[in-house]
Amino acid sequence: MTSTIEPEIGKSRRRKEDERLITGRTRWTDNLTLPGMLHLAVLRSPFAHARIVSIDVTEAKSAPGVVAVFTGKDLDPESAIGMPCAWPITPDMKSPRRPILASDTVNFAGEGVAVVVARTAAEAHDALEAIDVEYAELPVVLGLENALADGAPLVHEDLGTNQNAVWVFDSADAGTGSSVEDAISHSEVVLKRRFRQQRLVPAFMEPRACVVDPTGSQLVMWSATQVPHILKTMTAATLGLPEHKVRVIAPDVGGGFGGKIAVLPEEMMATLIAQRLGKPVKWTESRSETMVAAHHGRDQIQDLTITANRDGTVTGLKVELLADMGAYLGLVGPGVPILGAFMFNAIYKFPAYHFVCTNVFTNTTLTDAYRGAGRPEATFGIERMMDELAVELGMDPMEIREKNWIRHEEFPFTTVAGLTYDSGDYEAATAKAKELFDYDGLRREQKERRESGDPVQLGIGISTFTEMCGLAPSRVLGSLDYAAGGWEHAEIRVLPTGKIEVITGASAHGQGHETAWSQIVADKLGVPFEDIEVIHGDTQSSHKGMDTYGSRSLVVGGIAVVKAADKVLAKAKPIAAHLMECSEDDLEFSAGEFSVKGTKVSTSIQDIAWAVFSAHNLPDGVEPSLDSSDTFDPENFSFPHGTHLCAAEVDTETGRVRLRSYVCVDDVGVAVNPLIVEGQVHGGLAQGIAQALFEEAVHDEGGTLTTGTFADYLLPSAVDLPSFTTDRTETPSTTNPLGAKGVGEAGTIASTPAVVNAVIDAVRHFGVNDIEMPLTPMRVWHAIQHGSAAAGGLGSEAGGGLGSIDATGGAQ
Amino acid sequence: MRITVTVDGTPCTDDVEPRTLLVHHLRERIGKVGTVVGCDTSNCGACTVHLDGHSVKSCSVLAVQADGCEVTTIEGLARDGELHPVQQAFHENHALQCGFCTPGMIMQSIDLLADDPDPDEQAVREGLEGNLCRCTGYQNIVRAVRDAAHRMRPAAGPEAGRLASDTASRVGAGGE
């Protein structure tokens, strides 16, 4: 009985997941209804900073359908620690306690102050109207620089400062490079720029939701979460529950992008209330709630100084960041900008590097992981800088990149930030991208349009990038003071009929794990793709795991699957030898069959599975099971890279930007499923382009989010985006047995600077050297009319003074 | 208020509050949870269904307005265990990732193809403007819709009949 012959890895398999998703038979958390289930609705503060004088819930309690109403005073004391932050980046990091429900002060608009429990969701929402809260408004602090100014109002009065933590890396101190101050003093060119990373909303399509059932022997929580395992542990820790009495299920989850990495106050409320009432409860948020209450991403000011010689050789990079944490610290929020510390030097051979990040509190929704988490911000900064340096030196922006990047023959290469890139071929990806893009032809057209004064100008944007993927090495995470490890777990169960169950700790939210993991196991064990079921997202069946974020699923979780499959074969081998009455040394394994070398005698994995099940004839002392499990904790990250090229047409009369073409060649190492890789790249590009052109979370001066719905927050639709030309090169990673590198974040990381570089390139001859994101028609038009400084000043604290060039060296 | 709505071929008579939105009626009373809610401003299109053959965002229709009408949801598309060509095309072209927007995308795509059986790329993009997706970047969705158009052409065999019957049940230009 021979199984698959054709290799599954590398095949563009259509996804197993699709069947239920295209027929509407999906298990979203909000679909769940349990007997006797009650519904929660959360009353949220309309003020960004206020003292709660009183809350009167009398009328709400007697509203139709209402079972109970809880305030912060009722619920919050049940957690000694408040909502958890798992990443204390410095020993003196200020970590204010975040309550489950605010009871004394509210610190951002959208923070919960009361929760209604009712028979229906509609009744619960109706009753919110009947709650009377008296607030005494407090001074609001918004904007990173405002928050650090002398005499600024304090988000947390008791901390005495809005400064959360300062984190520093210096290559001279670390022994990875020389001194940036020396480079600034001695280099021929010193260029400074300030860039702003606007605040973004992750905007997964499925709003967050949870259902908590307290009626069984274990408390069961269904949640639209990226991190069921972390959520289980954190629920136990936050509420003081015995961990073995908590089970978390992440059923189908409708997108995350980092936005569902948080442990939610609403999940804790639901747990406490379900326990108190002894009944299942459901909480599902509206989109407007998501916008104010789910964490945001990005929101940094970057002050960058790059130093170089006149021949274009870079000599140093200094990065000074301000990062907005919002009103409290998210689960991994403080660490997000720190991840960028390792990526600002990107693919370039900087001899000197200094990075300092100051995390800041403001009266806004907290920030936390968002697709790429720290690395898109860093890549934007350095790729914009390389363009600016090219202009300063009169070089082609591609030429200056080629002059400074790590060459193929130089891998493995240890960067000035201390990371060792295992493999890469920037030359190959770039050559392929340039060919697909017609780089030289577009440059010619750009010149013609400029000379003819065409009202529609053409710009070319480049982003040659790498990222650190596979967020795992536990020792590295430990050295960065992250509280947890980064390993991943897998189990393979071989059923009596030879079918396979694969249990993974990497819980998926749309990436196609069920398909890719099946391909891996089909190849490893030689069983048909269709005979494999992948189980994930339930801490009962998948009892160990670190979940999905940071493009870690395949390059950490997938490798755990490989290791577990190797163990299955190791257990099968002595049984095969016993069944065929030969020595193990005489056996070879291929395509699901153990065969005796030089003969046609063979036995399949399926045969062995049945032999194990019947256990009639097993070697002495052999466990009657092929089931195996393993964990993988890699020694190093993986480093996908690529070259992204964007051609943008800018209507100089209206400021409208049209992306004429977008070409990217990504190197994600070995692609297990090229179709899924391509899809991930497309989606990533859309999100990165959206940061460049469309999206921004904006607060008014009182701290109210004015982009609080999809009517105001411009998530691009199909008409807003072009078709992309994507291709791949394949330089296998040397740090894992699949040679895979990860792809989930690549498109988002690379595309934002490619688009902005293209737009700036199109209008640079109008004296423009920066435009603040998103590049709305108004901002682009304004830049064309008045140059960059004026363009940057459009209603933003970070806007003024963009783009000062100091080519004389030295002074800052 | 007592209403009767025929949902995916089955008449359902219920008492509903006048304020109940069709999407909530479908999900909470009739159990058609394949239709989902993604926003509260009628921007995302995740809840798109067909009402008497036209695509509507079921969050912008009151249940009482659907009284006496036929509603088709994503759960009613496949017939006799066979996927609708648009469903099949979404699968073949990897036009979904998390899948949350997918029911609405598919329902809107069917309406779009009924209006224009052979749309070019721009026409597909414009036809799907009211449906948001955060995962795919739309490229594979556009490809799927155009692929479905080919599958449903008269020469394409039995599947094409599906489109013909869907189209015949429509009156005037559909959707929003």
Side-chain angles (χ1 to χ4, degrees), chain A residues 15 22 126 695 716 724, chain B residues 19 87 92 97 134 138-139:
Chain A
R15 297 196 320 169
I22 58 176
D126 283 350
E695 295 185 24
F724 315 113
Chain B
R19 66 170 175 171
Q87 289 174 305
E92 296 285 334
Q97 288 178 35
R134 192 57 152 173
Y138 302 103
Q139 184 156 334

Side-chain angles (χ1 to χ4, degrees), chain B residues 4-25:
Chain B
T4 299
V5 188
T6 300
V7 181
D8 298 333
T10 305
C12 305
T13 301
D14 290 278
D15 287 319
V16 299
E17 282 189 72
R19 66 170 175 171
T20 303
L21 299 174
L22 179 58
V23 64
H24 291 133
H25 183 59

Side-chain angles (χ1 to χ4, degrees), chain A residues 629-701:
Chain A
S629 65
D630 211 334
T631 56
F632 181 59
D633 195 351
E635 289 296 312
N636 194 1
F637 302 100
S638 58
F639 299 93
H641 67 83
T643 297
H644 288 225
L645 299 171
C646 175
E649 290 182 343
V650 179
D651 185 332
T652 59
E653 292 172 351
T654 66
R656 187 185 163 92
V657 174
R658 187 180 80 92
L659 297 191
R660 165 139 143 216
S661 65
Y662 194 102
V663 169
C664 63
V665 174
D666 282 280
D667 194 323
V668 299
V670 172
V672 169
N673 185 323
L675 190 73
I676 290 177
V677 167
E678 187 191 33
Q680 290 268 314
V681 171
H682 287 172
L685 293 178
Q687 267 172 292
I689 291 168
Q691 174 170 12
L693 297 181
F694 305 119
E695 295 185 24
E696 181 174 25
V698 180
H699 294 91
D700 68 15
E701 32 186 64

Side-chain angles (χ1 to χ4, degrees), chain A residues 14-15 18 21-22 24 28 30-31 126 201-203 205-206 254-255 257 286-288 370 510 675 679-680 682-683 686 695 711 715-719 721-724, chain B residues 19 27 33-34 36-41 43-44 74-75 83 87 90-92 94 96-100 102 106 121 125-126 129 132 134-140 143:
Chain A
R14 269 54 180 171
R15 297 196 320 169
D18 290 356
L21 299 169
I22 58 176
W28 309 118
D30 187 49
N31 291 359
D126 283 350
V201 176
M205 290 310 298
E206 179 207 19
F257 315 110
S286 68
R287 178 59 56 178
S288 306
Y370 171 50
L675 190 73
Q680 290 268 314
H682 287 172
E695 295 185 24
L715 209 66
S717 75
V719 283
L721 294 167
S723 276
F724 315 113
Chain B
R19 66 170 175 171
R27 285 179 59 80
V33 292
V36 295
V37 182
C39 72
D40 38 35
T41 48
N43 286 89
C44 81
I74 188 75
E75 293 166 70
L83 295 174
Q87 289 174 305
F90 267 62
H91 172 58
E92 296 285 334
H94 186 35
L96 60 147
Q97 288 178 35
C98 85
F100 195 78
T102 306
I106 289 175
E121 178 181 329
R125 288 182 179 277
E126 287 171 9
E129 191 180 5
L132 297 176
R134 192 57 152 173
C135 294
T136 63
Y138 302 103
Q139 184 156 334
N140 286 349
R143 196 160 67 185

Side-chain angles (χ1 to χ4, degrees), chain A residues 346-536:
Chain A
I347 64 171
Y348 307 113
K349 293 183 283 188
F350 280 99
Y353 178 47
H354 182 85
F355 173 98
V356 55
C357 173
T358 303
N359 287 350
V360 179
F361 289 118
T362 62
N363 289 117
T364 57
T365 301
L366 47 168
T367 62
D368 207 323
Y370 171 50
R371 201 169 189 171
R375 291 150 290 166
E377 297 93 316
T379 302
F380 180 87
I382 187 63
E383 286 304 286
R384 284 286 297 113
M385 255 347 232
M386 294 308 275
D387 262 34
E388 296 305 302
L389 184 61
V391 170
E392 174 62 20
L393 296 173
M395 294 173 74
D396 183 277
M398 187 62 92
E399 186 189 352
I400 199 158
R401 286 170 169 83
E402 290 170 350
K403 189 171 184 69
N404 288 291
W405 71 33
I406 303 155
R407 285 167 207 295
H408 181 51
E409 62 273 15
E410 293 177 289
F411 288 93
F413 184 90
T414 300
T415 74
V416 74
L419 293 181
T420 299
Y421 296 175
D422 60 331
S423 70
D425 191 342
Y426 308 143
E427 295 91 330
T430 301
K432 200 168 191 177
K434 280 172 80 169
E435 189 186 334
L436 289 167
F437 187 69
D438 187 19
Y439 187 83
D440 297 332
L442 283 164
R443 280 277 180 228
R444 276 195 300 277
E445 184 185 334
Q446 178 186 36
K447 188 161 176 282
E448 287 161 15
R449 287 203 190 198
R450 195 152 299 178
E451 284 168 356
S452 70
D454 194 319
V456 178
Q457 289 289 309
L458 180 67
I460 294 170
I462 305 168
S463 172
T464 47
F465 85 106
T466 188
E467 63 159 322
M468 52 195 261
C469 257
L471 280 193
S474 295
R475 282 188 295 194
V476 177
L477 294 177
S479 73
L480 295 173
D481 298 306
Y482 180 57
W487 47 264
E488 195 47 86
H489 183 75
E491 181 183 347
I492 293 178
R493 298 179 189 151
V494 182
L495 305 179
T497 53
K499 314 292 185 194
I500 306 286
E501 290 174 346
V502 182
I503 294 113
T504 176
S507 179
H509 46 281
Q511 299 94 333
H513 292 15
E514 292 167 37
T515 304
W517 277 219
S518 296
Q519 290 179 267
I520 292 169
V521 173
D523 261 11
K524 290 297 296 182
L525 300 183
V527 297
F529 175 81
E530 296 78 12
D531 285 358
I532 300 161
E533 187 70 21
V534 177
I535 296 165
H536 60 89

Side-chain angles (χ1 to χ4, degrees), chain A residues 192-198 300-304 320-322 344 377 380-386 388 756-757 769-773 798 802-803:
Chain A
K192 295 193 294 180
R193 284 285 190 277
R194 162 170 281 203
F195 299 123
R196 182 167 168 263
Q197 288 282 321
Q198 79 270 36
Q300 292 183 354
I301 294 174
Q302 309 173 334
D303 284 302
L304 306 183
E320 297 163 283
L321 287 192
L322 297 178
F344 263 102
E377 297 93 316
F380 180 87
I382 187 63
E383 286 304 286
R384 284 286 297 113
M385 255 347 232
M386 294 308 275
E388 296 305 302
V756 175
N757 277 339
N769 62 17
D770 197 21
I771 307 173
E772 211 171 81
M773 292 188 290
L802 290 170

